Coordinates of all heavy atoms in Angstrom, one line a residue:
M15 N -28.0 58.1 31.8 CA -26.7 58.6 31.9 C -25.8 57.9 30.9 O -25.8 56.6 30.8 CB -26.1 58.5 33.3 CG -24.8 59.0 33.4 SD -24.4 59.2 35.2 CE -23.2 57.9 35.3
K16 N -25.1 58.6 30.1 CA -24.2 58.0 29.1 C -22.9 57.5 29.7 O -22.3 58.1 30.6 CB -23.8 59.1 28.1 CG -22.9 58.6 27.0 CD -22.7 59.8 26.0 CE -21.5 59.5 25.2 NZ -21.1 60.6 24.3
V17 N -22.6 56.3 29.4 CA -21.3 55.7 29.9 C -20.3 55.9 28.8 O -20.4 55.4 27.6 CB -21.5 54.2 30.1 CG1 -20.2 53.5 30.6 CG2 -22.6 54.0 31.2
K18 N -19.2 56.5 29.1 CA -18.1 56.8 28.2 C -17.1 55.7 28.3 O -16.4 55.6 29.3 CB -17.5 58.2 28.4 CG -16.5 58.5 27.4 CD -16.1 60.0 27.6 CE -15.0 60.3 26.6 NZ -15.4 61.0 25.5
R19 N -17.0 54.8 27.3 CA -16.1 53.7 27.4 C -14.9 53.9 26.4 O -14.0 53.0 26.4 CB -16.8 52.4 27.1 CG -17.7 52.0 28.2 CD -18.3 50.7 27.9 NE -19.5 51.0 27.1 CZ -20.6 50.2 27.1 NH1 -20.6 49.1 27.7 NH2 -21.6 50.5 26.3
F20 N -14.9 54.9 25.6 CA -13.7 55.1 24.8 C -12.6 55.4 25.8 O -12.7 56.3 26.6 CB -13.9 56.3 23.9 CG -14.5 56.0 22.5 CD1 -15.8 56.2 22.3 CD2 -13.7 55.5 21.5 CE1 -16.4 55.9 21.1 CE2 -14.3 55.1 20.3 CZ -15.6 55.3 20.1
T21 N -11.5 54.7 25.7 CA -10.4 54.8 26.6 C -9.2 55.4 25.8 O -8.8 54.8 24.8 CB -10.0 53.4 27.1 OG1 -11.2 52.8 27.7 CG2 -8.9 53.5 28.2
K22 N -8.7 56.5 26.3 CA -7.5 57.1 25.7 C -6.3 56.5 26.4 O -6.2 56.6 27.6 CB -7.6 58.6 25.8 CG -8.7 59.1 24.9 CD -8.5 60.6 24.7 CE -9.5 61.1 23.6 NZ -9.2 62.4 23.1
A23 N -5.4 56.0 25.6 CA -4.1 55.4 26.2 C -3.1 55.3 25.1 O -3.5 55.3 23.9 CB -4.4 54.0 26.8
P24 N -1.8 55.1 25.4 CA -0.8 54.9 24.4 C -1.2 53.7 23.5 O -1.5 52.7 24.1 CB 0.5 54.7 25.2 CG 0.2 55.3 26.5 CD -1.3 55.2 26.8
Y25 N -1.0 53.8 22.2 CA -1.4 52.8 21.3 C -0.5 52.8 20.2 O -0.5 53.7 19.4 CB -2.9 53.0 20.9 CG -3.5 52.0 19.9 CD1 -3.2 50.7 20.0 CD2 -4.4 52.5 19.0 CE1 -3.8 49.8 19.2 CE2 -5.0 51.6 18.1 CZ -4.7 50.2 18.2 OH -5.3 49.3 17.4
T26 N 0.4 51.8 20.2 CA 1.5 51.8 19.2 C 1.5 50.6 18.3 O 1.9 49.5 18.7 CB 2.9 51.9 19.8 OG1 3.0 50.9 20.7 CG2 3.0 53.3 20.6
T27 N 0.9 50.7 17.1 CA 0.9 49.6 16.2 C 1.0 50.3 14.8 O 0.9 51.5 14.7 CB -0.4 48.8 16.1 OG1 -1.5 49.6 15.8 CG2 -0.7 48.1 17.5
I28 N 1.3 49.5 13.8 CA 1.5 50.0 12.4 C 0.1 50.5 12.0 O -0.9 49.8 12.2 CB 2.0 48.9 11.5 CG1 3.5 48.6 11.9 CG2 2.0 49.4 10.1 CD1 4.1 47.4 11.2
D29 N 0.0 51.6 11.3 CA -1.2 52.1 10.8 C -1.8 51.2 9.7 O -1.0 50.9 8.7 CB -1.1 53.5 10.2 CG -0.7 54.5 11.3 OD1 -0.9 54.3 12.5 OD2 -0.1 55.6 10.9
K30 N -3.0 50.8 9.8 CA -3.6 49.9 8.8 C -4.5 50.7 7.8 O -4.8 50.2 6.8 CB -4.5 48.9 9.6 CG -3.7 48.0 10.5 CD -4.5 47.1 11.3 CE -3.7 46.3 12.3 NZ -4.4 45.4 13.1
S31 N -4.9 51.9 8.2 CA -5.7 52.8 7.3 C -5.6 54.2 7.9 O -5.1 54.4 9.0 CB -7.1 52.3 7.3 OG -7.7 52.4 8.5
K32 N -6.1 55.1 7.1 CA -6.1 56.5 7.6 C -7.1 56.6 8.8 O -6.8 57.4 9.7 CB -6.6 57.5 6.5 CG -5.7 57.6 5.3 CD -4.5 58.4 5.7 CE -3.6 58.7 4.5 NZ -2.4 59.3 4.9
L33 N -8.2 55.9 8.8 CA -9.1 55.9 10.0 C -8.3 55.3 11.2 O -8.4 55.9 12.3 CB -10.3 55.0 9.7 CG -11.3 54.9 10.8 CD1 -11.9 56.2 11.2 CD2 -12.4 53.9 10.5
H34 N -7.6 54.3 11.0 CA -6.8 53.7 12.1 C -5.8 54.7 12.6 O -5.7 54.9 13.9 CB -6.1 52.4 11.6 CG -5.4 51.7 12.7 ND1 -4.2 51.1 12.5 CD2 -5.7 51.4 14.0 CE1 -3.8 50.5 13.6 NE2 -4.7 50.7 14.5
Q35 N -5.1 55.4 11.7 CA -4.1 56.4 12.1 C -4.8 57.5 12.9 O -4.3 57.9 14.0 CB -3.5 57.0 10.9 CG -2.4 58.0 11.2 CD -1.8 58.6 9.9 OE1 -2.2 58.2 8.8 NE2 -0.9 59.6 10.1
F36 N -5.9 58.0 12.5 CA -6.6 59.1 13.2 C -7.0 58.6 14.6 O -6.8 59.4 15.6 CB -7.9 59.5 12.4 CG -8.8 60.3 13.2 CD1 -8.5 61.6 13.5 CD2 -10.1 59.8 13.6 CE1 -9.4 62.4 14.2 CE2 -10.9 60.6 14.3 CZ -10.6 61.9 14.6
L37 N -7.6 57.4 14.7 CA -8.1 57.0 16.0 C -6.9 56.8 17.0 O -7.0 57.1 18.2 CB -8.9 55.7 15.9 CG -10.2 55.9 15.2 CD1 -10.9 54.5 14.9 CD2 -11.1 56.7 16.0
K38 N -5.8 56.3 16.4 CA -4.6 56.2 17.3 C -4.1 57.5 17.7 O -3.7 57.7 18.9 CB -3.4 55.5 16.5 CG -3.6 54.0 16.4 CD -2.5 53.3 15.6 CE -1.1 54.0 15.6 NZ -0.2 53.4 14.8
E39 N -4.1 58.5 16.8 CA -3.6 59.9 17.2 C -4.5 60.5 18.2 O -4.0 61.2 19.1 CB -3.6 60.8 15.9 CG -2.4 60.4 15.0 CD -2.5 61.2 13.7 OE1 -3.5 61.9 13.5 OE2 -1.6 61.0 12.8
E40 N -5.8 60.1 18.2 CA -6.7 60.6 19.2 C -6.6 59.8 20.5 O -7.1 60.2 21.5 CB -8.2 60.5 18.7 CG -8.5 61.5 17.6 CD -8.4 62.9 18.1 OE1 -9.0 63.3 19.1 OE2 -7.7 63.7 17.4
G41 N -5.8 58.7 20.5 CA -5.6 57.9 21.7 C -6.6 56.8 22.0 O -6.6 56.3 23.1
F42 N -7.4 56.5 21.0 CA -8.4 55.5 21.3 C -7.9 54.1 21.1 O -7.0 53.9 20.2 CB -9.6 55.7 20.3 CG -10.4 57.0 20.6 CD1 -10.3 58.0 19.8 CD2 -11.1 57.1 21.8 CE1 -11.0 59.2 20.0 CE2 -11.7 58.3 22.1 CZ -11.7 59.4 21.2
V43 N -8.3 53.1 21.9 CA -7.8 51.8 21.8 C -8.9 50.8 21.3 O -10.1 51.1 21.4 CB -7.3 51.3 23.2 CG1 -6.1 52.1 23.6 CG2 -8.4 51.4 24.2
R44 N -8.5 49.7 20.8 CA -9.4 48.7 20.2 C -10.5 48.2 21.2 O -11.6 48.1 20.8 CB -8.6 47.5 19.7 CG -7.7 47.8 18.6 CD -6.7 46.7 18.3 NE -7.2 45.4 18.3 CZ -6.6 44.4 19.0 NH1 -5.4 44.5 19.6 NH2 -7.1 43.2 18.9
S45 N -10.1 47.9 22.4 CA -11.0 47.4 23.3 C -12.1 48.4 23.7 O -13.3 48.1 23.8 CB -10.3 46.9 24.6 OG -9.6 48.0 25.2
G46 N -11.7 49.7 23.8 CA -12.7 50.7 24.1 C -13.7 50.9 22.9 O -14.9 51.1 23.1
L47 N -13.1 50.9 21.7 CA -13.9 51.0 20.5 C -14.9 49.9 20.4 O -16.1 50.0 20.1 CB -13.1 51.0 19.3 CG -12.3 52.3 19.0 CD1 -11.3 52.1 17.9 CD2 -13.3 53.4 18.6
A48 N -14.4 48.7 20.7 CA -15.3 47.5 20.6 C -16.4 47.6 21.6 O -17.6 47.3 21.2 CB -14.4 46.2 20.9
L49 N -16.2 48.0 22.8 CA -17.2 48.1 23.8 C -18.3 49.2 23.4 O -19.5 49.0 23.5 CB -16.7 48.5 25.2 CG -16.0 47.4 25.9 CD1 -15.3 48.0 27.2 CD2 -17.0 46.4 26.4
D50 N -17.8 50.3 23.0 CA -18.7 51.4 22.6 C -19.5 51.2 21.4 O -20.6 51.6 21.2 CB -17.9 52.7 22.5 CG -18.5 53.8 23.4 OD1 -19.1 53.5 24.4 OD2 -18.3 55.0 23.0
L51 N -18.9 50.5 20.4 CA -19.6 50.2 19.2 C -20.4 48.8 19.3 O -21.1 48.5 18.3 CB -18.6 50.1 18.0 CG -17.9 51.4 17.7 CD1 -16.9 51.2 16.5 CD2 -18.8 52.6 17.5
D52 N -20.3 48.2 20.4 CA -20.9 46.9 20.6 C -20.6 45.9 19.6 O -21.5 45.2 19.0 CB -22.5 47.1 20.7 CG -23.2 45.9 21.3 OD1 -22.5 45.2 22.2 OD2 -24.3 45.7 21.0
V53 N -19.3 45.7 19.3 CA -18.7 44.7 18.4 C -17.6 44.1 19.1 O -17.1 44.5 20.2 CB -18.3 45.3 17.1 CG1 -19.5 45.9 16.3 CG2 -17.2 46.4 17.2
T54 N -17.0 43.0 18.5 CA -15.8 42.4 19.0 C -14.6 43.1 18.6 O -14.6 43.9 17.6 CB -15.7 40.9 18.5 OG1 -15.5 41.0 17.1 CG2 -17.0 40.1 18.8
V55 N -13.5 42.8 19.3 CA -12.2 43.4 18.9 C -11.8 42.9 17.5 O -11.2 43.7 16.8 CB -11.1 43.0 20.0 CG1 -9.7 43.5 19.6 CG2 -11.5 43.7 21.3
C56 N -12.1 41.7 17.2 CA -11.9 41.2 15.8 C -12.6 42.1 14.8 O -12.0 42.3 13.7 CB -12.3 39.8 15.7 SG -11.3 38.6 16.7
T57 N -13.8 42.5 15.1 CA -14.5 43.4 14.1 C -13.8 44.7 14.0 O -13.7 45.3 12.9 CB -16.0 43.6 14.6 OG1 -16.6 42.3 14.6 CG2 -16.7 44.5 13.7
I58 N -13.3 45.3 15.1 CA -12.5 46.5 15.1 C -11.3 46.3 14.2 O -11.0 47.2 13.4 CB -12.1 47.0 16.5 CG1 -13.4 47.3 17.3 CG2 -11.2 48.1 16.4 CD1 -14.2 48.5 16.8
D59 N -10.6 45.2 14.3 CA -9.5 45.0 13.5 C -9.8 44.9 12.0 O -9.2 45.5 11.2 CB -8.8 43.6 13.9 CG -8.1 43.7 15.2 OD1 -7.8 44.8 15.7 OD2 -7.8 42.6 15.8
R60 N -11.0 44.3 11.7 CA -11.5 44.2 10.4 C -11.8 45.6 9.8 O -11.5 46.0 8.7 CB -12.7 43.3 10.3 CG -13.0 42.8 8.9 CD -14.1 41.7 9.0 NE -13.9 41.1 10.3 CZ -14.9 40.5 11.0 NH1 -16.0 40.4 10.6 NH2 -14.7 40.0 12.2
Y61 N -12.4 46.5 10.7 CA -12.7 47.8 10.3 C -11.4 48.6 10.0 O -11.4 49.4 9.1 CB -13.5 48.5 11.4 CG -15.0 48.2 11.5 CD1 -15.7 48.6 12.6 CD2 -15.6 47.4 10.5 CE1 -17.1 48.3 12.7 CE2 -17.0 47.1 10.6 CZ -17.7 47.5 11.7 OH -19.0 47.2 11.8
M62 N -10.4 48.4 10.8 CA -9.2 49.2 10.7 C -8.4 48.8 9.4 O -7.8 49.6 8.7 CB -8.3 49.1 11.9 CG -8.9 49.6 13.2 SD -9.4 51.3 13.1 CE -11.2 51.2 13.1
N63 N -8.5 47.5 9.1 CA -7.8 47.0 7.9 C -8.6 47.4 6.6 O -8.0 47.6 5.6 CB -7.7 45.4 7.9 CG -6.6 45.0 8.8 OD1 -5.6 45.6 8.9 ND2 -6.8 43.9 9.5
N64 N -9.9 47.4 6.7 CA -10.8 47.7 5.6 C -11.9 48.6 6.0 O -13.1 48.1 6.2 CB -11.3 46.4 5.0 CG -11.9 46.5 3.7 OD1 -12.0 47.6 3.1 ND2 -12.4 45.4 3.1
P65 N -11.7 49.9 6.2 CA -12.7 50.8 6.8 C -13.9 50.9 5.9 O -15.0 51.4 6.5 CB -11.9 52.1 6.9 CG -10.7 52.0 6.2 CD -10.4 50.6 5.9
E66 N -13.9 50.5 4.7 CA -15.1 50.6 3.9 C -16.2 49.7 4.4 O -17.4 49.8 4.1 CB -14.8 50.2 2.4 CG -13.9 51.1 1.7 CD -12.4 50.8 1.9 OE1 -12.1 49.8 2.4 OE2 -11.6 51.7 1.6
K67 N -15.9 48.7 5.2 CA -16.9 47.8 5.8 C -17.6 48.3 7.1 O -18.5 47.7 7.5 CB -16.2 46.5 6.1 CG -15.7 45.8 4.9 CD -15.4 44.3 5.1 CE -14.9 43.7 3.9 NZ -16.0 43.2 3.1
I68 N -17.1 49.5 7.6 CA -17.7 50.0 8.8 C -19.2 50.5 8.6 O -19.5 51.0 7.5 CB -16.8 51.1 9.4 CG1 -17.2 51.5 10.8 CG2 -16.9 52.4 8.5 CD1 -16.2 52.3 11.5
K69 N -20.0 50.2 9.5 CA -21.4 50.5 9.4 C -21.6 52.0 9.7 O -20.9 52.6 10.5 CB -22.2 49.7 10.4 CG -22.3 48.2 10.1 CD -23.1 47.5 11.1 CE -23.1 46.0 10.7 NZ -23.9 45.3 11.7
I70 N -22.7 52.6 9.1 CA -23.0 54.0 9.3 C -23.3 54.3 10.7 O -22.8 55.3 11.2 CB -24.3 54.4 8.4 CG1 -24.0 54.2 6.9 CG2 -24.7 55.8 8.8 CD1 -23.0 55.2 6.4
E71 N -23.9 53.4 11.4 CA -24.2 53.7 12.9 C -22.9 53.7 13.7 O -22.8 54.5 14.6 CB -25.1 52.6 13.4 CG -24.5 51.2 13.5 CD -25.5 50.1 13.8 OE1 -26.3 49.8 12.9 OE2 -25.4 49.5 14.9
H72 N -21.9 53.0 13.2 CA -20.6 53.1 13.9 C -19.9 54.3 13.6 O -19.2 54.9 14.5 CB -19.8 51.8 13.6 CG -20.4 50.6 14.1 ND1 -20.2 49.3 13.5 CD2 -21.3 50.3 15.1 CE1 -20.9 48.4 14.2 NE2 -21.6 49.0 15.2
I73 N -20.0 54.8 12.3 CA -19.4 56.1 12.0 C -20.0 57.2 12.8 O -19.3 58.0 13.3 CB -19.6 56.3 10.5 CG1 -18.7 55.3 9.7 CG2 -19.2 57.8 10.1 CD1 -19.0 55.4 8.2
K74 N -21.3 57.1 12.9 CA -22.0 58.2 13.7 C -21.5 58.2 15.2 O -21.2 59.2 15.8 CB -23.5 57.9 13.7 CG -24.3 58.9 14.5 CD -25.8 58.6 14.4 CE -26.6 59.7 15.1 NZ -27.2 59.2 16.3
R75 N -21.3 57.0 15.8 CA -20.8 56.9 17.2 C -19.4 57.4 17.3 O -19.1 58.2 18.2 CB -20.9 55.5 17.6 CG -20.5 55.2 19.0 CD -21.6 55.8 19.9 NE -21.2 55.4 21.3 CZ -21.4 56.2 22.3 NH1 -22.0 57.3 22.2 NH2 -21.0 55.8 23.5
I76 N -18.5 57.1 16.3 CA -17.2 57.6 16.3 C -17.2 59.1 16.2 O -16.4 59.8 16.9 CB -16.3 56.9 15.2 CG1 -16.1 55.5 15.5 CG2 -15.0 57.7 15.0 CD1 -15.5 54.7 14.3
C77 N -18.0 59.7 15.4 CA -18.1 61.1 15.2 C -18.5 61.8 16.5 O -17.9 62.8 16.9 CB -19.1 61.5 14.1 SG -18.6 61.1 12.5
E78 N -19.5 61.2 17.2 CA -19.9 61.7 18.5 C -18.8 61.7 19.5 O -18.6 62.7 20.3 CB -21.1 60.9 19.0 CG -22.4 61.1 18.3 CD -23.4 60.1 18.6 OE1 -23.2 59.2 19.5 OE2 -24.6 60.2 18.1
E79 N -18.0 60.6 19.6 CA -17.0 60.5 20.6 C -15.7 61.3 20.3 O -15.1 61.8 21.2 CB -16.6 59.0 20.7 CG -17.7 58.2 21.4 CD -18.1 58.6 22.8 OE1 -17.2 59.1 23.5 OE2 -19.2 58.4 23.1
T80 N -15.4 61.5 19.0 CA -14.2 62.2 18.6 C -14.5 63.7 18.4 O -13.5 64.5 18.3 CB -13.6 61.6 17.4 OG1 -14.5 61.7 16.3 CG2 -13.1 60.2 17.6
G81 N -15.7 64.1 18.2 CA -16.1 65.5 18.0 C -15.8 66.0 16.6 O -15.6 67.2 16.3
V82 N -15.7 65.1 15.6 CA -15.6 65.5 14.2 C -16.8 65.1 13.4 O -17.7 64.4 13.9 CB -14.3 64.8 13.6 CG1 -13.1 65.1 14.3 CG2 -14.5 63.3 13.5
D83 N -17.0 65.7 12.3 CA -18.2 65.4 11.5 C -18.0 64.2 10.6 O -16.9 63.7 10.4 CB -18.7 66.6 10.7 CG -17.8 67.0 9.6 OD1 -16.8 66.3 9.2 OD2 -18.0 68.1 9.0
A84 N -19.1 63.7 10.1 CA -19.1 62.5 9.3 C -18.3 62.6 8.0 O -17.7 61.7 7.5 CB -20.5 62.0 9.0
N85 N -18.3 63.8 7.4 CA -17.5 64.1 6.2 C -16.0 63.8 6.5 O -15.4 63.3 5.6 CB -17.7 65.5 5.7 CG -19.1 65.7 5.1 OD1 -19.7 64.7 4.5 ND2 -19.7 66.9 5.3
F86 N -15.6 64.2 7.6 CA -14.2 64.0 8.0 C -13.9 62.5 8.0 O -12.9 62.0 7.4 CB -13.8 64.7 9.3 CG -12.4 64.5 9.7 CD1 -11.4 65.2 9.2 CD2 -12.1 63.5 10.7 CE1 -10.1 65.0 9.6 CE2 -10.8 63.3 11.1 CZ -9.8 64.1 10.5
I87 N -14.7 61.8 8.7 CA -14.5 60.3 8.8 C -14.6 59.6 7.5 O -13.8 58.8 7.1 CB -15.5 59.7 9.8 CG1 -15.3 60.3 11.2 CG2 -15.4 58.2 9.8 CD1 -14.0 60.0 11.9
M88 N -15.6 60.1 6.6 CA -15.8 59.5 5.3 C -14.5 59.8 4.4 O -14.1 58.9 3.7 CB -17.0 60.0 4.6 CG -18.3 59.5 5.3 SD -18.4 57.7 5.3 CE -18.5 57.3 3.6
D89 N -13.9 60.9 4.6 CA -12.7 61.2 3.8 C -11.6 60.3 4.3 O -10.8 59.9 3.4 CB -12.3 62.7 4.1 CG -13.1 63.7 3.3 OD1 -13.8 63.3 2.4 OD2 -13.1 64.9 3.6
L90 N -11.5 60.0 5.5 CA -10.5 59.0 6.0 C -10.7 57.6 5.5 O -9.8 56.9 5.1 CB -10.5 59.0 7.6 CG -10.0 60.2 8.3 CD1 -10.2 60.0 9.8 CD2 -8.6 60.6 8.0
I91 N -12.0 57.3 5.4 CA -12.3 55.9 4.9 C -12.0 55.8 3.4 O -11.5 54.8 3.0 CB -13.8 55.6 5.2 CG1 -14.0 55.4 6.7 CG2 -14.3 54.4 4.4 CD1 -15.5 55.4 7.2
C92 N -12.3 56.8 2.7 CA -12.1 56.8 1.2 C -10.7 57.1 0.8 O -10.4 57.0 -0.4 CB -13.1 57.8 0.6 SG -14.8 57.3 0.8
A93 N -9.9 57.5 1.7 CA -8.5 57.9 1.4 C -7.7 56.7 1.0 O -7.8 55.6 1.3 CB -7.8 58.6 2.5

């Protein structure tokens, strides 16, 4: 059974990247992302500041949870 740990909640911080903006608009929070991607909150912060560093396996997981395709996420990362 899949455990869904992405937590949707109000999240108000300055956008650090297009990926960060998208995830905030979807309502995802750092701690939920960290749990689901099996990384630390510091790593999530690093990914939001510099999304080019995000691993392919993490992009795949974000795509699964948000219901968008990898091309959409890659466009956000490269923007």
Side-chain angles (χ1 to χ4, degrees):
M15 183 165 108
K16 179 179 165 185
V17 176
K18 186 173 175 100
R19 286 183 275 208
F20 272 98
T21 307
K22 290 196 173 194
Y25 181 34
T26 57
T27 61
I28 297 172
D29 297 337
K30 298 175 183 180
S31 64
K32 293 286 186 186
L33 178 62
H34 186 221
Q35 180 182 0
F36 168 72
L37 292 171
K38 280 177 33 184
E39 287 171 0
E40 291 295 309
F42 295 109
V43 295
R44 293 167 43 227
S45 59
L47 285 168
L49 284 172
D50 235 27
L51 300 181
D52 197 28
V53 297
T54 66
V55 172
C56 292
T57 299
I58 295 298
D59 289 341
R60 199 168 333 150
Y61 285 168
M62 296 306 107
N63 284 325
N64 194 356
E66 294 85 12
K67 296 197 180 273
I68 194 167
K69 293 181 179 180
I70 296 294
E71 66 191 70
H72 295 153
I73 292 171
K74 182 178 182 250
R75 184 72 176 141
I76 290 169
C77 290
E78 291 169 357
E79 293 297 331
T80 59
V82 299
D83 68 10
N85 290 326
F86 179 80
I87 298 296
M88 290 304 294
D89 286 343
L90 294 175
I91 290 171
C92 296

